[in-house]
Amino acid sequence: MDRLQRIAGHLANGSLAVNQSTSADSYRTALKQAKADIWKMLDTINCNPILVRLAWHDAGTYDMKVKDWPNCGGANGSIRFDLELGHGANAGLLKAINYLKKIKAKYPISWADLIQLGSATAIEHAGGPVIPMKYGRIDTETKEECPKEGNLPDAYPPFGDGASDAARHLRNVFYRMGFNDREIVALSGAHTIGRAFKERSGVVDNGYGEDAATKFTCPFHRARADKKEGVGMAGGKSWTSNWLTFDNSYFKRDKNTKDLLWMPTDDALRSDPSFQVFFEMYAKDKNLFFEDYKKAHKKLSELGSKFGSKEGISIN
């Protein structure tokens, strides 16, 4: 399919970012309106972590050695297809897609953009940095364009890439995408928000519901940055106590706290000599973490993306 045919296909689906009939200004307006709707949704149901996870898992399949799109993987919206949602690492992410479907139906923006917009908005809503995002992504069109399974990081050994330890596994996964050690640690700091569930990743015994919750994931705990009530669905185990607040607390926690999650890949950031340097830097300086995080997040969000125009669209 040549470029004009692809554009025509996207026009038929109402999802092309920029072309003659949908100006950059009108698309920017739609993005801003969608962001406002996402913000209201976050404020109501506290779904920040799962929107971040959705965007990361869409982008995190990227392989910089593959030059043709969309076979390179990345932030192209392919995770909306059942085939990719069925990958083991994506368990539970249909819920996030369903959250966004209502917003997608209102605005003529691509799935790839909406997914990344949801993540950046979730970080900002949780008290994190405003990320200078670039929009105007073109969507994949069919499930046949989904990436193969197995490109995302594992939590525990044995690691799918055959790595002998967690530090090597993290490097294998993130070096494949073009990240360095500093960026790996910065991106890992996003675990300051979110939880793991028995029914999803299976790395914890804590499942859905109040009966399976820790003292930090029960309905009565105030985890939000604004200290308002609400944790969304109770249950699971979080990396931090205030797991709906984006800050640098991930880098400060006591790994022996029984009510908090800590996996081999987390511990590698504290014990590997190269990772440790940045881990300790971010523990001491939240502003430095925010600066490095927003750059790494922006980079991740653009991996494997095909934009309707080279300069893209900004809403900041």
Side-chain angles (χ1 to χ4, degrees), residues 181-257:
D181 285 2
R182 183 172 188 145
E183 292 168 322
I184 292 170
V185 180
L187 284 171
S188 297
H191 281 147
T192 194
I193 63 172
R195 302 170 284 178
F197 292 89
K198 180 179 181 180
E199 295 87 347
R200 295 179 187 175
S201 64
V203 300
V204 295
D205 293 328
N206 308 81
Y208 298 149
E210 186 176 347
D211 290 343
T214 71
K215 64 182 180 180
F216 301 122
T217 62
C218 69
F220 313 105
H221 181 64
R222 298 200 179 200
R224 289 173 53 135
D226 57 12
K227 302 305 178 186
K228 290 181 180 179
E229 293 182 354
V231 297
M233 178 181 65
K237 181 178 280 190
S238 59
W239 280 266
T240 65
S241 57
N242 294 325
W243 53 271
L244 286 171
T245 300
F246 193 94
D247 56 22
N248 64 337
S249 59
Y250 171 79
F251 302 106
K252 297 179 177 182
R253 73 177 292 284
D254 179 354
K255 68 177 182 180
N256 295 317
T257 302

Side-chain angles (χ1 to χ4, degrees), residues 110-128:
S110 67
W111 266 111
D113 272 349
L114 181 59
I115 289 167
Q116 298 304 322
L117 175 66
S119 177
T121 306
I123 296 292
E124 183 182 346
H125 179 272

Side-chain angles (χ1 to χ4, degrees), residues 130-150:
V130 178
I131 301 166
M133 298 287 285
K134 176 181 177 181
Y135 296 104
R137 294 171 186 79
I138 293 175
D139 282 334
T140 53
E141 296 179 336
T142 68
K143 65 180 181 180
E144 285 72 29
E145 295 174 308
C146 290
K148 65 179 182 179
E149 186 169 5

Side-chain angles (χ1 to χ4, degrees), residues 18-190:
V18 183
N19 57 53
Q20 292 179 347
S21 64
T22 304
S23 70
D25 286 342
S26 63
Y27 195 79
R28 184 178 294 108
T29 297
L31 285 165
K32 289 181 177 180
Q33 291 171 335
K35 179 179 179 178
D37 283 5
I38 292 169
W39 192 280
K40 291 176 184 176
M41 179 175 69
L42 292 166
D43 222 30
T44 303
I45 62 175
N46 301 295
C47 60
N48 306 59
I50 200 170
L51 292 190
V52 175
R53 180 174 170 238
L54 177 68
W56 278 43
H57 284 212
D58 194 37
T61 60
Y62 178 69
D63 187 340
M64 67 179 182
K65 293 181 181 178
V66 179
K67 302 304 179 183
D68 59 310
W69 184 92
N71 293 327
C72 58
N76 56 32
S78 64
I79 200 168
R80 73 191 190 275
F81 292 111
D82 289 343
L83 177 64
E84 191 168 342
L85 285 171
H87 292 178
N90 295 333
L93 286 178
L94 176 60
K95 187 175 186 178
I97 290 291
N98 287 336
Y99 286 151
L100 293 178
K101 277 183 178 179
K102 300 172 186 178
I103 298 172
K104 179 68 175 67
K106 292 177 63 177
Y107 305 107
I109 59 179
S110 67
W111 266 111
D113 272 349
L114 181 59
I115 289 167
Q116 298 304 322
L117 175 66
S119 177
T121 306
I123 296 292
E124 183 182 346
H125 179 272
V130 178
I131 301 166
M133 298 287 285
K134 176 181 177 181
Y135 296 104
R137 294 171 186 79
I138 293 175
D139 282 334
T140 53
E141 296 179 336
T142 68
K143 65 180 181 180
E144 285 72 29
E145 295 174 308
C146 290
K148 65 179 182 179
E149 186 169 5
N151 283 339
L152 297 169
D154 298 314
Y156 284 90
F159 299 111
D161 60 351
S164 58
D165 58 71
R168 172 45 52 196
H169 175 59
L170 286 174
R171 289 190 172 100
N172 287 347
V173 171
F174 285 93
Y175 283 9
R176 186 199 73 229
M177 292 186 270
F179 290 107
N180 59 34
D181 285 2
R182 183 172 188 145
E183 292 168 322
I184 292 170
V185 180
L187 284 171
S188 297

